[in-house]
Amino acid sequence: MQQAIKMTNGNIDLGLLVLRLWFGLEMAFAHGLPKLMKILDGNMSFGDPIGIGVGPSLVLATFGEFVCGLLIAAGFFTRLSCIPYIITMLVAAFIAHAGDGWGKMSFPLMYAVAAIVLLITGPGKYSLDYRMFVSKTGV
């Protein structure tokens, strides 16, 4: 007979930690850091998917991917950080990769779904948000 895994707050919090670390750090270092390096090198070439100019588009994408990715991984202002992260991924999926087919659209949508889960659930107990805002208030 197979034994069922009992869901506890501890393993839910651990699952949220794994989700935050993977999707936050993967986004920050695989996608956001190259964009940050472009900015630091003065190379502002980038797409303009929402019509605000290539420079502002690059800066906003870098913020959504690198800065918010790191904040999500740390669990610091997690829900707030998920918003630009989600917007960036939805723009990537439905505007930048709209004509590329599902294969290209599915990757940013996976990141968006992970961030939507964190926006709904919060970062969990193993986060800076919890240590700074919840554990001190006893909520």
Side-chain angles (χ1 to χ4, degrees), residues 114-128:
I116 290 167
V117 168
L118 292 168
L119 181 66
I120 293 167
T121 63
K125 183 177 175 181
Y126 307 119
S127 66
L128 290 176

Side-chain angles (χ1 to χ4, degrees), residues 95-112:
I95 299 174
H97 294 296
D100 296 336
W102 181 251
K104 290 269 188 168
M105 291 175 68
S106 66
F107 288 108
L109 289 174
M110 282 189 286
Y111 288 104

Side-chain angles (χ1 to χ4, degrees), residues 45-70:
S45 62
F46 193 69
D48 185 17
I50 58 174
I52 60 171
V54 293
S57 294
L58 177 58
V59 169
L60 287 174
T62 302
F63 177 77
E65 294 177 3
F66 185 73
V67 174
C68 293
L70 291 177

Side-chain angles (χ1 to χ4, degrees), residues 35-97:
K35 291 175 180 70
L36 178 62
M37 298 311 296
K38 284 179 64 144
I39 292 170
L40 295 176
D41 289 341
N43 177 3
M44 300 302 280
S45 62
F46 193 69
D48 185 17
I50 58 174
I52 60 171
V54 293
S57 294
L58 177 58
V59 169
L60 287 174
T62 302
F63 177 77
E65 294 177 3
F66 185 73
V67 174
C68 293
L70 291 177
L71 291 171
I72 289 168
F76 189 59
F77 293 108
T78 307
R79 285 185 163 131
L80 186 61
S81 298
C82 284
I83 296 168
Y85 185 105
I86 291 166
I87 292 168
T88 302
M89 292 302 97
L90 293 178
V91 168
F94 293 117
I95 299 174
H97 294 296

